[in-house]
Amino acid sequence: MNSPAALRRPLPVSSPTPIKSPQTPKPSERQLPLTNSSASKLPCKLNHRNWWSKTSTACATEFSSRLRSERILPIRASSSNGSRSISSSSGGEFRQPTAVEFITSERVKVVAMLALALALCNADRVVMSVAIVPLSLSHGWRQSFAGVVQSSFLWGYLISPIAGGTLVDLYGGKVVMAWGVTLWSLATFLTPWAAENSLCALLAMRMLLGIAEGVALPCMNNMIARWFPQTERSRAVGLAMAGFQLGSAIGLTLSPILMSQGGLYGPFVIFGLSGFLWVLVWISATSSTPDKCHQISAYELQYIQNDGNMQSVIKDKSKKSKVIPPFKRLLSKLPTWTLIVANAMHSWGFFVILSWMPIYFKTIYHVDLRQAAWFSAVPWSMMAVAGYFAGVLSDMMIQRGISVTLTRKIMQSIGFIGPGIALVGLTMARSPSNASAWLTLAVGLKAFSHCGFLVNLQEIAPQYSGVLHGISNTAGTFAAIVGTVGAGYFVELVGSFKGFLLLTAFLYFSAALFWNFFATGGRVNFDETL
């Protein structure tokens, strides 16, 4: 029982809990504004008097659920050491960008610059495919020796891909690409001087061109892996390689015109100067990674970084950036050999068509040089269009639940079996227009390979994508040398292109079979051997 004294004792009074005022965000952090549509749906009004009340808790809960239903995540951006990082307040799915947002995004600007670089890359190399005809006439070269002059580009191209891919993995695509374009533009610009002085100087300039251009595709792969989530990489590769194929069309169509206006060496000077201009824009307007780009929006940065695979690529590269690539372990896996075989076959067909089609139309169908360039350029334009269509189709298949492995096998099968059948049809063509139609079909379907082995490099070993590209590209270059030089000797011995085209078709079918047996779209563990 309580005594009267206890009842008269004053009760202890606790000190009032101070009410904390809302904290002002730090200068290094800023909360992104809410959308008007979402704010208008709040069940209560938030202001400085009642925002900390119990009602505001329910209000915030409903607002968060509405954000999740609309797939819009509130995100916070912070800056440190010149880079930006984005973290979402919840682990929900980030909404897909609209078509307008995709076209106007910073990552599309980056891939557009890559497409321009690859266009210059191919234009510089195909100029010789047109110039070789008047050069052969003026110097008295046979067809076999003309093939040697054209293949001198590939001698340099054989040297650089592995070293270039390793440099890309270490220093990133932006720096290596800038140096590559500078060197190959210099080689193109100096080709007229070399041709006027000596044959050795001409071969040296073509070799320098090949050495510098050997880093182009590894740089492209590196930049796309850093700037695009996996669900957009196929179309990004399609856009970049569209520039690559349009470079062939531009070089083959403009070279005769520039030669007629500025002499035999006019195209070399124009394309060389264009490369120097590209380097200035590339250095000033692009960033190696999205978090270092000052123009990128917070939404786009969050969308790119939301891809867990991209985050793991950066983490793996930071751990192994100073380690020599494990060549023995890379070559011990069958998926690596599927890339090597696919790249070798792709390069064989690509360079044979690229180097010999102007001469093919001139010798087989007796068309002049300008028409020969035109007939050869039309297929490359189709390849640019088909490549982007294949990229969009490939991304849609993955987004709709088809496995990455099956998607890559379907794309690569179309890219090899289709051209093989078309080349068989080319051997039976009776007119230049029919031959151009078959050639256009062959080259257009060949673009589906870009959504096969070319994207697969990033998937089986993202931390080694550069050096893997270099290894497979070296094999492809060796195959291209054999095909380019072999075509010249084959024509001299047999007297016809038909047998060589049939041999190429057979190799296409064999490579497609090997790919479908051993290729994979999953990540391969290169930390242990078979």
Side-chain angles (χ1 to χ4, degrees):
M1 295 180 61
N2 294 329
S3 62
L7 293 174
R8 289 193 299 268
R9 185 182 302 161
L11 295 174
V13 179
S14 60
S15 58
T17 303
I19 300 176
K20 297 182 180 180
S21 60
Q23 296 181 356
T24 305
K26 298 179 181 179
S28 61
E29 297 184 348
R30 56 183 176 84
Q31 186 74 27
L32 298 182
L34 304 178
T35 59
N36 293 333
S37 61
S38 299
S40 62
K41 298 176 183 179
L42 288 172
C44 59
K45 183 178 180 180
L46 299 179
N47 53 48
H48 68 282
R49 294 182 178 178
N50 65 358
W51 76 276
W52 61 82
S53 64
K54 295 181 179 179
T55 309
S56 65
T57 303
C59 177
T61 302
E62 181 171 343
F63 176 61
S64 177
S65 64
R66 289 184 183 276
L67 287 176
R68 285 193 295 270
S69 65
E70 294 181 4
R71 302 173 70 190
I72 302 175
L73 297 179
I75 56 180
R76 178 169 294 176
S78 62
S79 60
S80 175
N81 298 327
S83 64
R84 302 172 61 194
S85 62
I86 298 290
S87 60
S88 62
S89 59
S90 65
E93 182 183 1
F94 204 69
R95 70 174 179 85
Q96 293 290 327
T98 63
V100 175
E101 288 174 333
F102 177 75
I103 294 174
T104 58
S105 62
E106 287 297 320
R107 61 190 184 279
V108 169
K109 294 178 185 177
V110 171
V111 81
M113 288 296 296
L114 290 171
L116 286 175
L118 295 181
L120 288 170
C121 174
N122 229 16
D124 288 349
R125 71 174 66 168
V126 302
V127 171
M128 187 58 71
S129 299
V130 179
I132 194 66
V133 177
L135 281 174
S136 298
L137 293 175
S138 61
H139 292 82
W141 296 338
R142 296 179 302 170
Q143 280 190 331
S144 58
F145 189 75
V148 172
V149 173
Q150 293 205 79
S151 67
S152 60
F153 159 82
L154 296 171
W155 304 347
Y157 201 71
L158 184 66
I159 298 172
S160 61
I162 295 179
T166 304
L167 290 174
V168 168
D169 287 338
L170 291 176
Y171 301 108
K174 179 182 177 180
V175 175
V176 180
M177 180 68 97
W179 278 105
V181 178
T182 300
L183 290 177
W184 86 55
S185 299
L186 180 64
T188 302
F189 184 78
L190 293 179
T191 296
W193 167 84
E196 291 296 327
N197 281 270
S198 69
L199 179 61
C200 291
L202 175 61
L203 296 178
M205 285 299 103
R206 295 296 294 175
M207 285 187 64
L208 177 60
L209 178 70
I211 291 172
E213 290 194 356
V215 305
L217 293 181
C219 287
M220 179 271 292
N221 243 322
N222 177 273
M223 293 294 288
I224 288 178
R226 290 170 177 263
W227 275 88
F228 285 84
Q230 188 179 38
T231 53
E232 290 183 353
R233 285 179 189 166
S234 293
R235 75 187 69 183
V237 170
L239 284 171
M241 295 305 294
F244 193 69
Q245 314 312 332
L246 287 176
S248 301
I250 292 170
L252 291 170
T253 54
L254 288 185
S255 292
I257 299 173
L258 294 174
M259 287 178 184
S260 63
Q261 299 296 323
L264 177 61
Y265 302 118
F268 296 96
V269 175
I270 296 298
F271 292 141
L273 293 176
S274 299
F276 295 138
L277 178 61
W278 181 92
V279 172
L280 294 177
V281 178
W282 174 257
I283 293 175
S284 60
T286 61
S287 302
S288 57
T289 55
D291 60 310
K292 295 180 181 179
C293 179
H294 298 290
Q295 291 80 25
I296 193 170
S297 66
Y299 162 73
E300 184 180 1
L301 183 57
Q302 164 68 12
Y303 176 72
I304 297 172
Q305 291 186 340
N306 198 45
D307 181 17
N309 187 46
M310 188 270 291
Q311 297 288 354
S312 65
V313 171
I314 297 175
K315 185 181 298 183
D316 289 340
K317 290 190 180 220
S318 64
K319 290 181 180 178
K320 303 181 181 181
S321 61
K322 300 301 180 183
V323 178
I324 297 175
F327 293 106
K328 183 176 180 180
R329 292 201 300 270
L330 290 174
L331 294 174
S332 68
K333 304 289 186 178
L334 279 173
T336 300
W337 286 98
T338 62
L339 294 175
I340 292 173
V341 172
N343 202 328
M345 189 61 244
H346 182 78
S347 297
W348 173 291
F350 180 86
F351 281 99
V352 165
I353 294 173
L354 188 67
S355 301
W356 286 100
M357 283 305 101
I359 299 176
Y360 175 81
F361 279 101
K362 186 177 187 302
T363 56
I364 301 298
Y365 299 105
H366 307 291
V367 297
D368 60 31
L369 179 60
R370 189 182 299 254
Q371 288 178 318
W374 171 252
F375 277 114
S376 300
V378 170
W380 303 112
S381 302
M382 177 58 69
M383 191 175 189
V385 176
Y388 179 71
F389 170 77
V392 173
L393 179 62
S394 179
D395 287 339
M396 289 177 58
M397 291 171 66
I398 295 174
Q399 290 170 2
R400 294 185 178 182
I402 299 177
S403 69
V404 176
T405 298
L406 181 58
T407 300
R408 300 303 171 222
K409 288 184 177 181
I410 292 174
M411 294 294 112
Q412 193 63 58
S413 297
I414 297 173
F416 276 176
I417 297 175
I421 295 174
L423 288 180
V424 174
L426 178 61
T427 62
M428 298 182 289
R430 302 302 181 199
S431 66
S433 57
N434 289 338
S436 181
W438 280 111
L439 187 62
T440 300
L441 181 63
V443 176
L445 293 176
K446 187 178 176 64
F448 281 76
S449 293
H450 301 157
C451 301
F453 80 92
L454 200 55
V455 183
N456 192 237
L457 288 161
Q458 306 164 8
E459 295 166 341
I460 69 169
Q463 74 275 29
Y464 298 122
S465 61
V467 68
L468 269 179
H469 203 150
I471 293 172
S472 62
N473 226 17
T474 299
T477 304
F478 181 76
I481 293 174
V482 174
T484 303
V485 178
Y489 283 101
F490 190 94
V491 171
E492 278 193 355
L493 293 174
V494 180
S496 172
F497 275 97
K498 290 185 177 181
F500 195 80
L501 293 177
L502 292 175
L503 172 63
T504 302
F506 173 76
L507 293 176
Y508 267 130
F509 299 145
S510 301
L513 192 64
F514 186 80
W515 174 271
N516 281 292
F517 269 116
F518 302 113
T520 179
R523 188 163 179 174
V524 179
N525 182 13
F526 287 104
D527 295 330
E528 57 183 18
T529 57
L530 289 172

